[in-house]
Amino acid sequence: MDPWHDLLSLVASHPRENGTAALQRMAVLLGEALEAGGLDARYAPFDAHPMAPALHGMLGLLAGILFVHAVRGRRPGVAFLVGLVPSLLLLIELGAGVPLLGRLGSTTQAHVGAVVAPAREARARVVLLAHYDTRTDLLPHAAWRVAAGGAAAAAVVALLVSGTLALRRSASARRAAGLAALSGGLAGALGFGVLTGGLFVPRRSPGAADDGGSVAVLLRAAAALESAGPAARFRFLEVEIALLSGEELTGEGSRRFAVGRFATPPDIPTAAFVLHQIGAGAGLALHGTGSAPGSPGPDLGRAVREAAAALGIELARDGAEPGCAPRALRDRGIPAAALVGVPGAEHAHRPADRPEHLDRHGLDRALALVLEGLCRLDRDLATGGADGPAGEGGAGAVCYRLRR
């Protein structure tokens, strides 16, 4: 019997897109799953802007058409302004997270979480995060990244050339005008495909690897920690679970979570551990240290590396840090590390991202690594390890399994 079947059927078998009833329903189901594990579910509502990417794609396409028309009409200054305004709006809203066009379709969504309290007074905290919302793109992930980069590059070329033509009053320069028109039109078309094209895909992504598998791992970890009971649970480490929505809105979810949760400095040393695309493959990669230089807080990166060595898990070094969540937390002064499934999910944001494609061995390894790493942090918080049970040794001993 697959121990992951029921959880994956819950969190990874159907779309959970921002602004939909399915996402709102999933928030309730996640809360019920946490409570079934003996935890008190917490909901953190926030204003989300699910229409923002699509609206910016439409505006970019319109701007591209008007840009080409202005260049062909020998009005490079007008073309420059036409291209500049949507570019700035895009950077402000999707880059900096300041709602502009997205206000037209704003809605209330919620992060879902719970806290596993230690048996004694908490000396440190680790926040475990994953996102449960999904997105569907028009293009496969690799092609989508190329198109996004191409749109940005074409927009820069269009602005530079049109600005130069306007300053030099050389609107009759045919080659430069042709380059500007081509670049502006290409930027608008590619931007529309990247930001809005997903609306035209009839079959939606169930978001198994991105990021249902990570959510399933955190739900099982929370249930395991809580079911240990007061006598066997961690002594000094508080573990907080945070399941985010709105993350597929170019990181809006993690920005809202970081600002709301850490509006003031945390009361105890705190670090964050982001799980991303767990189960995309059997491998795992660790990004970031999860600790601040000179801070008394938990050294998450060291604990996870020691846990991997004790469990015989080789951590890969390839791939890039995921999404926006680690950066959003660091911006609030919270050290963050990320555990990423390797290789990356080739079906991310596509209808083929289904539970049957998840690597169960990768899920098992991630769950074991999370629990072992947390256990090591808790052991480190004890004075010299003297409070630990017999058999807890150095980096080679398996901490969590012995405690269980």
Side-chain angles (χ1 to χ4, degrees):
M1 179 70 179
D2 180 4
W4 295 100
H5 180 270
D6 290 344
L7 267 181
L8 294 179
S9 296
L10 173 70
V11 302
S13 62
H14 59 280
R16 307 170 297 280
E17 299 192 13
N18 289 283
T20 65
L23 185 80
Q24 304 287 4
R25 176 60 179 162
M26 179 52 60
V28 175
L29 293 176
L30 290 174
E32 292 176 350
L34 288 169
E35 290 176 349
L39 295 157
D40 292 327
R42 300 179 177 182
Y43 299 89
F46 68 99
D47 290 331
H49 305 89
M51 289 301 298
L55 291 173
H56 279 279
M58 295 175 188
L59 178 62
L61 180 61
L62 176 61
I65 295 171
L66 295 177
F67 183 94
V68 172
H69 181 73
V71 170
R72 291 173 63 89
R74 299 186 179 183
R75 292 176 290 176
V78 174
F80 177 80
L81 292 176
V82 166
L84 180 63
V85 170
S87 299
L88 289 177
L89 291 176
L90 183 68
L91 288 174
I92 292 172
E93 179 151 15
L94 301 188
V98 179
L100 297 171
L101 295 183
R103 290 183 179 276
L104 297 177
S106 63
T107 185
T108 300
Q109 296 182 181
H111 306 312
V112 186
V115 172
V116 183
R120 306 182 190 177
E121 182 178 0
R123 296 179 182 175
R125 175 188 299 114
V126 170
V127 184
L128 302 176
L129 303 101
H131 72 86
Y132 66 91
D133 58 315
T134 63
R135 185 177 96 214
T136 303
D137 289 333
L138 179 64
L139 301 171
H141 196 54
W144 185 92
R145 293 175 66 91
V146 171
V156 170
V157 171
L159 289 173
L160 288 175
V161 176
S162 61
T164 301
L165 287 173
L167 291 173
R168 294 183 178 180
R169 302 182 182 278
S170 305
S172 60
R174 290 187 178 181
R175 288 185 179 179
L179 177 60
L182 176 62
S183 301
L186 184 62
L190 289 177
F192 180 81
V194 165
L195 295 172
T196 312
L199 294 179
F200 303 97
V201 179
R203 294 178 58 237
R204 315 304 292 176
S205 171
D210 192 16
D211 218 355
S214 300
V215 172
V217 168
L218 292 191
L219 288 175
R220 283 195 65 183
L225 294 174
E226 181 64 20
S227 65
R233 71 177 50 182
F234 294 155
R235 292 154 290 170
F236 304 108
L237 181 66
E238 178 181 287
V239 178
E240 180 175 340
I241 310 296
L243 308 176
L244 309 182
S245 74
E247 190 61 6
E248 294 294 2
L249 301 176
T250 62
E252 181 178 27
S254 58
R255 286 195 297 267
R256 297 285 183 258
F257 172 81
V259 170
R261 175 65 181 83
F262 300 108
T264 58
D267 54 337
I268 55 176
T270 299
F273 199 24
V274 181
L275 272 63
H276 184 63
Q277 293 193 359
I278 302 299
L284 296 168
L286 179 66
H287 298 280
T289 63
S291 62
S295 169
D299 191 343
L300 184 57
R302 178 195 55 77
V304 172
R305 288 190 295 271
E306 286 187 1
L311 294 169
I313 298 174
E314 182 177 356
L315 294 174
R317 298 182 180 274
D318 56 346
E321 187 170 81
C324 306
R327 184 169 64 250
L329 289 156
R330 291 179 193 132
D331 288 345
R332 303 299 300 183
I334 306 301
L339 187 68
V340 186
V342 177
E346 60 177 307
H347 301 303
H349 303 162
R350 298 291 294 161
D353 186 12
R354 307 194 63 81
E356 54 265 31
H357 294 144
L358 287 176
D359 190 301
R360 269 48 174 184
H361 188 45
L363 297 174
D364 290 336
R365 285 154 57 96
L367 176 61
L369 188 59
V370 168
L371 293 174
E372 176 68 13
L374 294 176
C375 184
R376 287 171 177 272
L377 287 176
D378 179 62
R379 186 188 62 192
D380 293 343
L381 291 172
T383 305
D387 292 341
E392 284 190 0
V398 179
C399 171
Y400 185 76
R401 191 166 61 196
L402 290 175
R403 288 179 64 92
R404 296 288 286 126

Short mmCIF file of all heavy atoms in Angstrom, two decimals, residues 40-78:
data_model
loop_
_atom_site.label_atom_id
_atom_site.label_comp_id
_atom_site.label_asym_id
_atom_site.label_seq_id
_atom_site.Cartn_x
_atom_site.Cartn_y
_atom_site.Cartn_z
N ASP A 40 -3.86 22.25 15.90
CA ASP A 40 -4.84 23.32 15.75
C ASP A 40 -4.49 24.13 14.50
O ASP A 40 -3.45 24.79 14.45
CB ASP A 40 -4.82 24.25 16.98
CG ASP A 40 -5.33 23.55 18.24
OD1 ASP A 40 -6.22 22.69 18.11
OD2 ASP A 40 -4.82 23.86 19.33
N ALA A 41 -5.35 24.03 13.51
CA ALA A 41 -5.09 24.73 12.25
C ALA A 41 -5.26 26.24 12.43
O ALA A 41 -6.15 26.69 13.15
CB ALA A 41 -6.03 24.23 11.16
N ARG A 42 -4.40 26.99 11.78
CA ARG A 42 -4.47 28.45 11.79
C ARG A 42 -4.61 28.95 10.37
O ARG A 42 -3.98 28.42 9.44
CB ARG A 42 -3.19 29.03 12.41
CG ARG A 42 -2.93 28.58 13.85
CD ARG A 42 -1.63 29.18 14.38
NE ARG A 42 -1.38 28.83 15.76
CZ ARG A 42 -0.34 29.27 16.46
NH1 ARG A 42 0.55 30.08 15.89
NH2 ARG A 42 -0.18 28.91 17.72
N TYR A 43 -5.40 29.97 10.19
CA TYR A 43 -5.61 30.57 8.87
C TYR A 43 -5.16 32.02 8.91
O TYR A 43 -5.50 32.76 9.84
CB TYR A 43 -7.08 30.49 8.46
CG TYR A 43 -7.60 29.07 8.36
CD1 TYR A 43 -8.16 28.44 9.49
CD2 TYR A 43 -7.53 28.35 7.18
CE1 TYR A 43 -8.62 27.14 9.42
CE2 TYR A 43 -7.99 27.05 7.10
CZ TYR A 43 -8.54 26.45 8.23
OH TYR A 43 -9.00 25.16 8.15
N ALA A 44 -4.39 32.42 7.91
CA ALA A 44 -3.91 33.80 7.82
C ALA A 44 -4.42 34.40 6.51
O ALA A 44 -3.80 34.24 5.46
CB ALA A 44 -2.39 33.84 7.87
N PRO A 45 -5.57 35.10 6.54
CA PRO A 45 -6.13 35.68 5.32
C PRO A 45 -5.27 36.85 4.83
O PRO A 45 -4.63 37.55 5.62
CB PRO A 45 -7.52 36.16 5.75
CG PRO A 45 -7.75 35.60 7.11
CD PRO A 45 -6.42 35.34 7.71
N PHE A 46 -5.30 37.05 3.52
CA PHE A 46 -4.61 38.20 2.93
C PHE A 46 -5.29 38.54 1.60
O PHE A 46 -6.02 37.73 1.03
CB PHE A 46 -3.12 37.91 2.72
CG PHE A 46 -2.84 36.87 1.66
CD1 PHE A 46 -2.47 37.23 0.38
CD2 PHE A 46 -2.94 35.51 1.96
CE1 PHE A 46 -2.20 36.27 -0.59
CE2 PHE A 46 -2.69 34.54 1.00
CZ PHE A 46 -2.32 34.93 -0.28
N ASP A 47 -5.05 39.74 1.13
CA ASP A 47 -5.61 40.18 -0.15
C ASP A 47 -4.70 39.71 -1.28
O ASP A 47 -3.54 40.14 -1.38
CB ASP A 47 -5.75 41.70 -0.20
CG ASP A 47 -6.84 42.21 0.73
OD1 ASP A 47 -7.80 41.45 0.97
OD2 ASP A 47 -6.74 43.35 1.22
N ALA A 48 -5.21 38.82 -2.12
CA ALA A 48 -4.46 38.32 -3.27
C ALA A 48 -4.97 38.99 -4.54
O ALA A 48 -6.10 39.49 -4.60
CB ALA A 48 -4.60 36.80 -3.36
N HIS A 49 -4.14 38.95 -5.58
CA HIS A 49 -4.47 39.63 -6.83
C HIS A 49 -4.26 38.66 -8.00
O HIS A 49 -3.28 38.77 -8.76
CB HIS A 49 -3.61 40.89 -7.00
CG HIS A 49 -3.75 41.82 -5.82
ND1 HIS A 49 -2.94 41.73 -4.70
CD2 HIS A 49 -4.62 42.82 -5.59
CE1 HIS A 49 -3.30 42.66 -3.83
NE2 HIS A 49 -4.31 43.34 -4.34
N PRO A 50 -5.15 37.68 -8.13
CA PRO A 50 -4.96 36.60 -9.10
C PRO A 50 -5.01 37.03 -10.55
O PRO A 50 -4.49 36.33 -11.42
CB PRO A 50 -6.09 35.63 -8.78
CG PRO A 50 -7.13 36.45 -8.09
CD PRO A 50 -6.38 37.48 -7.32
N MET A 51 -5.62 38.19 -10.85
CA MET A 51 -5.73 38.62 -12.24
C MET A 51 -4.52 39.44 -12.70
O MET A 51 -4.40 39.76 -13.88
CB MET A 51 -6.99 39.46 -12.42
CG MET A 51 -8.28 38.67 -12.35
SD MET A 51 -8.35 37.37 -13.62
CE MET A 51 -8.29 38.35 -15.12
N ALA A 52 -3.62 39.77 -11.78
CA ALA A 52 -2.51 40.67 -12.11
C ALA A 52 -1.66 40.17 -13.28
O ALA A 52 -1.43 40.92 -14.24
CB ALA A 52 -1.65 40.92 -10.87
N PRO A 53 -1.14 38.92 -13.27
CA PRO A 53 -0.30 38.50 -14.40
C PRO A 53 -1.02 38.57 -15.74
O PRO A 53 -0.46 39.06 -16.73
CB PRO A 53 0.07 37.06 -14.03
CG PRO A 53 -0.04 37.01 -12.55
CD PRO A 53 -1.21 37.90 -12.22
N ALA A 54 -2.27 38.08 -15.78
CA ALA A 54 -3.00 38.08 -17.05
C ALA A 54 -3.26 39.50 -17.54
O ALA A 54 -3.12 39.79 -18.74
CB ALA A 54 -4.32 37.34 -16.88
N LEU A 55 -3.61 40.40 -16.65
CA LEU A 55 -3.86 41.79 -17.04
C LEU A 55 -2.59 42.45 -17.57
O LEU A 55 -2.63 43.22 -18.54
CB LEU A 55 -4.42 42.57 -15.86
CG LEU A 55 -5.85 42.20 -15.43
CD1 LEU A 55 -6.23 42.93 -14.15
CD2 LEU A 55 -6.85 42.52 -16.54
N HIS A 56 -1.46 42.16 -16.95
CA HIS A 56 -0.21 42.72 -17.44
C HIS A 56 0.16 42.14 -18.80
O HIS A 56 0.74 42.85 -19.64
CB HIS A 56 0.91 42.48 -16.43
CG HIS A 56 0.91 43.46 -15.31
ND1 HIS A 56 1.45 44.72 -15.42
CD2 HIS A 56 0.40 43.39 -14.06
CE1 HIS A 56 1.31 45.38 -14.28
NE2 HIS A 56 0.67 44.59 -13.43
N GLY A 57 -0.14 40.87 -19.03
CA GLY A 57 0.10 40.29 -20.34
C GLY A 57 -0.73 40.96 -21.42
O GLY A 57 -0.25 41.25 -22.52
N MET A 58 -2.00 41.21 -21.11
CA MET A 58 -2.88 41.90 -22.07
C MET A 58 -2.39 43.32 -22.34
O MET A 58 -2.38 43.79 -23.49
CB MET A 58 -4.31 41.91 -21.54
CG MET A 58 -4.94 40.55 -21.42
SD MET A 58 -6.59 40.61 -20.65
CE MET A 58 -6.94 38.88 -20.44
N LEU A 59 -2.02 44.02 -21.26
CA LEU A 59 -1.51 45.38 -21.43
C LEU A 59 -0.23 45.39 -22.25
O LEU A 59 -0.03 46.27 -23.10
CB LEU A 59 -1.26 46.00 -20.05
CG LEU A 59 -0.68 47.43 -20.06
CD1 LEU A 59 -1.66 48.40 -20.73
CD2 LEU A 59 -0.35 47.89 -18.65
N GLY A 60 0.63 44.39 -22.02
CA GLY A 60 1.87 44.32 -22.78
C GLY A 60 1.62 44.08 -24.25
O GLY A 60 2.30 44.67 -25.11
N LEU A 61 0.64 43.24 -24.59
CA LEU A 61 0.31 42.99 -25.99
C LEU A 61 -0.22 44.26 -26.64
O LEU A 61 0.18 44.63 -27.77
CB LEU A 61 -0.71 41.87 -26.10
CG LEU A 61 -1.15 41.51 -27.52
CD1 LEU A 61 0.04 41.03 -28.35
CD2 LEU A 61 -2.25 40.44 -27.49
N LEU A 62 -1.13 44.96 -25.96
CA LEU A 62 -1.65 46.22 -26.49
C LEU A 62 -0.54 47.24 -26.67
O LEU A 62 -0.47 47.94 -27.70
CB LEU A 62 -2.73 46.76 -25.55
CG LEU A 62 -3.33 48.13 -25.92
CD1 LEU A 62 -4.01 48.07 -27.27
CD2 LEU A 62 -4.30 48.59 -24.84
N ALA A 63 0.36 47.32 -25.68
CA ALA A 63 1.47 48.27 -25.77
C ALA A 63 2.38 47.92 -26.94
O ALA A 63 2.89 48.81 -27.63
CB ALA A 63 2.25 48.28 -24.47
N GLY A 64 2.59 46.62 -27.17
CA GLY A 64 3.42 46.21 -28.30
C GLY A 64 2.84 46.65 -29.62
O GLY A 64 3.56 47.12 -30.51
N ILE A 65 1.52 46.50 -29.77
CA ILE A 65 0.86 46.92 -31.01
C ILE A 65 0.98 48.44 -31.20
O ILE A 65 1.32 48.93 -32.28
CB ILE A 65 -0.61 46.48 -31.00
CG1 ILE A 65 -0.70 44.94 -31.00
CG2 ILE A 65 -1.36 47.06 -32.18
CD1 ILE A 65 -2.09 44.41 -30.77
N LEU A 66 0.71 49.19 -30.13
CA LEU A 66 0.79 50.65 -30.21
C LEU A 66 2.24 51.10 -30.43
O LEU A 66 2.49 52.10 -31.12
CB LEU A 66 0.23 51.28 -28.94
CG LEU A 66 -1.26 51.06 -28.68
CD1 LEU A 66 -1.67 51.66 -27.35
CD2 LEU A 66 -2.08 51.67 -29.82
N PHE A 67 3.19 50.38 -29.85
CA PHE A 67 4.60 50.71 -30.03
C PHE A 67 5.00 50.60 -31.50
O PHE A 67 5.64 51.50 -32.06
CB PHE A 67 5.45 49.77 -29.17
CG PHE A 67 6.92 50.05 -29.21
CD1 PHE A 67 7.51 50.85 -28.25
CD2 PHE A 67 7.73 49.49 -30.20
CE1 PHE A 67 8.88 51.11 -28.28
CE2 PHE A 67 9.10 49.75 -30.24
CZ PHE A 67 9.67 50.56 -29.28
N VAL A 68 4.63 49.48 -32.11
CA VAL A 68 4.96 49.28 -33.53
C VAL A 68 4.30 50.37 -34.38
O VAL A 68 4.93 50.94 -35.29
CB VAL A 68 4.50 47.88 -33.99
CG1 VAL A 68 4.66 47.74 -35.50
CG2 VAL A 68 5.30 46.80 -33.27
N HIS A 69 3.06 50.69 -34.08
CA HIS A 69 2.34 51.73 -34.84
C HIS A 69 3.04 53.08 -34.70
O HIS A 69 3.19 53.82 -35.69
CB HIS A 69 0.90 51.83 -34.34
CG HIS A 69 0.09 52.85 -35.05
ND1 HIS A 69 -0.37 52.67 -36.35
CD2 HIS A 69 -0.36 54.08 -34.66
CE1 HIS A 69 -1.06 53.73 -36.73
NE2 HIS A 69 -1.06 54.61 -35.72
N ALA A 70 3.50 53.41 -33.50
CA ALA A 70 4.17 54.70 -33.28
C ALA A 70 5.51 54.75 -34.00
O ALA A 70 5.88 55.78 -34.57
CB ALA A 70 4.35 54.94 -31.79
N VAL A 71 6.26 53.65 -33.98
CA VAL A 71 7.56 53.64 -34.67
C VAL A 71 7.37 53.78 -36.17
O VAL A 71 8.07 54.55 -36.84
CB VAL A 71 8.33 52.35 -34.32
CG1 VAL A 71 9.56 52.19 -35.21
CG2 VAL A 71 8.74 52.35 -32.87
N ARG A 72 6.42 53.04 -36.70
CA ARG A 72 6.15 53.13 -38.14
C ARG A 72 5.64 54.52 -38.54
O ARG A 72 5.82 54.94 -39.66
CB ARG A 72 5.14 52.05 -38.55
CG ARG A 72 5.71 50.64 -38.48
CD ARG A 72 4.63 49.59 -38.73
NE ARG A 72 4.09 49.71 -40.06
CZ ARG A 72 4.56 49.11 -41.15
NH1 ARG A 72 5.65 48.35 -41.03
NH2 ARG A 72 4.00 49.25 -42.32
N GLY A 73 4.99 55.20 -37.58
CA GLY A 73 4.53 56.57 -37.84
C GLY A 73 5.60 57.61 -37.54
O GLY A 73 5.31 58.81 -37.50
N ARG A 74 6.84 57.16 -37.33
CA ARG A 74 7.98 58.05 -37.10
C ARG A 74 7.78 58.93 -35.86
O ARG A 74 8.10 60.11 -35.86
CB ARG A 74 8.27 58.91 -38.33
CG ARG A 74 8.61 58.08 -39.55
CD ARG A 74 9.03 58.95 -40.71
NE ARG A 74 9.39 58.14 -41.87
CZ ARG A 74 9.87 58.64 -43.02
NH1 ARG A 74 10.02 59.96 -43.14
NH2 ARG A 74 10.17 57.85 -44.02
N ARG A 75 7.28 58.30 -34.82
CA ARG A 75 7.12 58.98 -33.52
C ARG A 75 7.81 58.15 -32.44
O ARG A 75 7.16 57.55 -31.58
CB ARG A 75 5.64 59.17 -33.22
CG ARG A 75 4.95 60.16 -34.16
CD ARG A 75 3.47 60.23 -33.86
NE ARG A 75 2.80 58.99 -34.25
CZ ARG A 75 1.51 58.75 -34.04
NH1 ARG A 75 0.76 59.65 -33.41
NH2 ARG A 75 0.97 57.61 -34.43
N PRO A 76 9.14 58.13 -32.48
CA PRO A 76 9.88 57.27 -31.54
C PRO A 76 9.70 57.69 -30.09
O PRO A 76 9.77 56.84 -29.19
CB PRO A 76 11.33 57.41 -31.99
CG PRO A 76 11.39 58.72 -32.69
CD PRO A 76 10.06 58.88 -33.37
N GLY A 77 9.52 58.98 -29.82
CA GLY A 77 9.30 59.42 -28.44
C GLY A 77 8.02 58.85 -27.88
O GLY A 77 7.97 58.40 -26.73
N VAL A 78 6.96 58.87 -28.69
CA VAL A 78 5.69 58.28 -28.26
C VAL A 78 5.86 56.77 -28.05
O VAL A 78 5.36 56.21 -27.07
CB VAL A 78 4.59 58.57 -29.29
CG1 VAL A 78 3.31 57.83 -28.94
CG2 VAL A 78 4.33 60.06 -29.39
#
